Amino acid sequence: MLTVAEVELPVSLQKRLREEANFAETFTQFTREHLIGFRQPMAIAAAIVGPVLFAFVYQVAGFLTLMEVAVSFTMTAVMFLLGGWYVNRRRIREMYVRQTRARKDAQVDLKTGKGEAIHLTMKNQPLFYEHEHGVICLADAGDGKTVYFDVDSLEEDPRWFLYINGDMHRVNWSWIRLKGSGAVADFAASGQRLARIGDTPYVEAPDAWEAICVALNEPQDGDIVERPLDEVKETISRLL
């Protein structure tokens, strides 16, 4: 059974949206912070170890040895930082794009100031299909409809962690659908489990999931598909 009610955004959710809306770093600042700021373990280690090492060498071996050690240490740290940038450059850019998109969405959501509080109680177990970037969740919404969630494992989505520890398998789901951006927020799951943990099919071929999305009329995260869950399951089974 699915129930929907329009609500004002909770204070905790408004606070989080304001933090996202206040993101104002340029890509250069964002990259620098992830390479030499306190978001980078190598930079933190260098900032802590360097002064201690330099002081120790100066006391034991004198100024000239200190300069040699300082040059070697600095060059090594720079090489590690550049290596970290090269390895993580794509991930850093993706993180920046996500945060920039989240800022725009948060601004829209705060301006709208409303959402839909949705509660779903399921009689049948939900369906899960893992893929390269997360998991698709499908649940019977009653009246021949199906709830569709596209949970991204790369965006620190709380639903991903609930899925990993088995709580997405529980009978009651509740969440807020933001009226501005349409995003899903404040998701919670409770009650007994309706599905076994660890029996999720994995969609390996990227084209297969694209075909499935087209077959379901390309739903977005949190949409209601106008088809019963059994029919959706059959459609997916034929395409996999």
Side-chain angles (χ1 to χ4, degrees):
M1 179 179 179
L2 186 74
T3 61
V4 181
E6 185 176 289
V7 295
E8 299 288 336
L9 298 184
V11 174
S12 59
L13 180 54
Q14 291 184 36
K15 181 179 178 181
R16 179 174 66 79
L17 290 173
R18 289 193 188 96
E19 292 174 354
E20 293 177 354
N22 288 333
F23 176 75
E25 293 181 14
T26 64
F27 180 66
T28 301
Q29 293 171 329
F30 188 82
T31 302
R32 183 170 62 245
E33 180 63 23
H34 277 78
L35 291 179
I36 62 176
F38 286 102
R39 298 175 188 173
Q40 173 55 256
M42 180 60 197
I44 297 174
I48 295 174
V49 173
V52 176
L53 176 64
F54 298 159
F56 176 78
V57 171
Y58 180 74
Q59 291 294 327
V60 173
F63 180 75
L64 292 179
T65 304
L66 168 63
M67 294 302 296
E68 293 176 358
V69 171
V71 171
S72 298
F73 182 86
T74 302
M75 291 180 63
T76 301
V78 170
M79 289 177 62
F80 271 104
L81 291 173
L82 289 175
W85 169 80
Y86 182 79
V87 171
N88 296 307
R89 65 191 188 282
R90 182 174 298 177
R91 183 178 64 86
I92 292 174
R93 179 173 291 278
E94 290 173 351
M95 290 170 60
Y96 181 76
V97 169
R98 286 199 297 268
Q99 290 202 230
T100 301
R101 184 175 65 244
R103 177 189 64 193
K104 295 178 180 179
D105 290 344
Q107 290 171 345
V108 172
D109 292 326
L110 287 169
K111 185 176 180 180
T112 305
K114 293 183 181 294
E116 293 179 333
I118 304 173
H119 182 83
L120 174 64
T121 299
M122 293 173 283
K123 294 182 180 179
N124 303 314
Q125 69 179 34
L127 302 177
F128 302 96
Y129 297 89
E130 286 189 26
H131 54 87
E132 182 181 3
H133 300 296
V135 62
I136 297 298
C137 310
L138 299 162
D140 186 1
D143 298 325
K145 299 178 182 179
T146 299
V147 174
Y148 173 96
F149 286 140
D150 186 0
V151 180
D152 195 327
S153 62
L154 304 178
E155 295 193 2
E156 298 183 357
D157 190 321
R159 291 171 296 172
W160 173 251
F161 300 103
L162 291 174
Y163 169 72
I164 290 298
N165 65 26
D167 285 329
M168 282 293 286
H169 299 69
R170 297 187 181 276
V171 64
N172 297 314
W173 290 358
S174 61
W175 66 96
I176 293 177
R177 186 82 185 268
L178 300 173
K179 283 208 161 184
S181 65
V184 175
D186 286 4
F187 184 92
S190 61
Q192 68 181 17
R193 288 193 175 100
L194 285 173
R196 296 189 307 275
I197 301 172
D199 58 357
T200 304
Y202 187 88
V203 181
E204 294 186 4
D207 293 342
W209 192 249
E210 291 179 5
I212 291 169
C213 289
V214 171
L216 299 180
N217 294 323
E218 299 184 331
Q220 301 298 311
D221 183 30
D223 280 354
I224 305 296
V225 178
E226 298 291 333
R227 295 187 187 184
L229 183 63
D230 288 342
E231 182 180 328
V232 171
K233 182 178 180 180
E234 290 177 3
T235 298
I236 294 174
S237 297
R238 289 196 302 269
L239 292 172
L240 291 183

